[in-house]
Amino acid sequence: MNKKFIIFNWKMNFTVSESVEFSNNILKCLTNFQNNNYEIIVCPTYMSLPYSYQILSNYVKFGAQNISSLHGDKGSFTGEISAKMVSDYAEYVILGHSERRVNIPESNFEINNKRILALENNLKPIVCIGEDLESRNSGKYINFLNNQLKESIKPILKNVIVAYEPIWSIGTGLNCDLKKLKEISDLVKSKISDEAIFIYGGSVNESNIFDYLSSDKVDGVLVGSASLNKTSIEGMINKINGN
Ligand code: PGA
């Protein structure tokens, strides 16, 4: 069995000192979590990445939340952070999260550029896709997701990691049920490859994490809010351990 992924996306939370404190607070729980069936990936801000890495990297992997689309290495690009720079600490990078697609706004074209730069710099991209509520309710979401897949992942690599995070489920408590997820997992596998890794994100917490991780349609979860709190991290880990 392939390892299932548990990705903690800390988004724009924690100052450096807060992330040091938080990393120390969850250290024991993550140290005790010896389970070869799972890969935990922590994604702090760029600033906190080296600090949390020092505390937790013996027990978990690390990811960045973004990289520059302008260059993979270095250059005159004020304010940018390259794939190569984060690769000192990160093995993964989250790309095209809806919060970036909507607020920046980031295009499929840019996301694909970042994906290529990530691969060239030994980072494994986690490409996010997801429709909004209007698209879901109008029934146009399959076309929408298809287009995101087609434009953000070309050329196609067989074992690409795709995170399906419907916008209507992020931070809302409206998590997507397994029946709906099966449809999207099948879409991703048919459009990309059977070997594509399918992750779900959106209001994952201790009450539902194990249902997702037990499904043969889901290869992992991406957790936002519930990864910002020690009690809920412990709760999720306990659920996975069967407590
Ligand atoms: P959430 O966020 O778990 O708070 O819904 C998920 C995400 O945006 O990655």
Side-chain angles (χ1 to χ4, degrees):
M1 192 183 97
N2 289 329
K3 280 189 180 191
K4 296 221 171 182
F5 292 87
I6 303 167
I7 307 166
F8 293 157
N9 178 10
W10 288 353
K11 306 191 182 183
M12 197 175 75
N13 291 289
F14 300 140
T15 62
V16 169
S17 57
E18 285 165 349
S19 73
V20 166
E21 190 186 342
F22 188 65
S23 301
N24 278 317
N25 281 341
I26 59 174
L27 177 63
K28 188 156 172 257
C29 168
L30 298 178
T31 315
N32 291 341
F33 183 66
Q34 303 288 344
N35 195 324
N36 284 332
N37 295 328
Y38 299 96
E39 175 109 291
I40 297 184
I41 303 166
V42 177
C43 305
T45 63
Y46 289 136
M47 291 189 70
S48 296
L49 183 56
Y51 296 91
S52 290
Y53 180 90
Q54 287 209 320
I55 299 165
L56 297 174
S57 62
N58 283 340
Y59 313 103
V60 299
K61 305 277 189 199
F62 275 83
Q65 297 175 20
N66 183 37
I67 48 169
S68 175
S69 64
L70 301 176
H71 203 282
D73 182 356
K74 62 183 177 180
S76 302
F77 302 107
T78 304
E80 292 290 287
I81 308 272
S82 74
K84 179 159 185 241
M85 290 167 183
V86 300
S87 70
D88 278 348
Y89 307 99
E91 191 173 320
Y92 296 86
V93 58
I94 299 173
L95 296 178
H97 191 286
S98 60
E99 287 153 10
R100 298 191 59 82
R101 288 179 180 272
V102 171
N103 294 310
I104 301 299
E106 217 168 62
S107 67
N108 287 328
F109 176 77
E110 260 178 289
I111 292 160
N112 197 46
N113 269 351
K114 293 182 183 194
R115 193 182 67 92
I116 291 164
L117 294 174
L119 291 168
E120 286 171 0
N121 287 279
N122 300 320
L123 288 174
K124 295 173 190 148
I126 301 164
V127 180
C128 300
I129 58 166
E131 80 285 359
D132 63 14
L133 194 56
E134 196 187 326
S135 167
R136 168 60 62 170
N137 288 340
S138 68
K140 294 184 182 143
Y141 61 97
I142 292 290
N143 277 347
F144 178 83
L145 295 172
N146 217 348
N147 192 53
Q148 282 193 329
L149 284 172
K150 201 168 77 195
E151 294 187 356
S152 343
I153 306 177
K154 61 179 181 188
I156 289 174
L157 280 189
K158 281 196 295 199
N159 56 353
V160 63
I161 307 173
V162 175
Y164 172 57
E165 299 208 301
I167 295 174
W168 48 268
S169 75
I170 296 177
T172 58
L174 298 171
N175 53 297
C176 183
D177 63 42
L178 283 168
K179 188 164 164 256
K180 289 195 185 85
L181 272 193
K182 178 183 179 307
E183 183 186 31
I184 313 301
S185 170
D186 290 347
L187 175 81
V188 169
K189 305 258 172 175
S190 73
K191 295 293 171 187
I192 303 291
S193 138
D194 266 350
E195 287 164 53
I197 296 166
F198 181 77
I199 308 285
Y200 168 68
S203 298
V204 174
N205 55 37
E206 63 185 279
S207 65
N208 56 35
I209 192 166
F210 195 65
D211 296 338
Y212 292 117
L213 292 174
S214 329
S215 163
D216 60 355
K217 290 287 165 188
V218 181
D219 301 308
V221 289
L222 208 158
V223 187
S225 337
S227 71
L228 298 174
N229 176 292
K230 182 182 177 221
T231 316
S232 61
I233 289 190
E234 286 170 349
M236 290 188 287
I237 297 291
N238 285 340
K239 278 282 156 60
I240 296 163
N241 279 335
N243 295 321

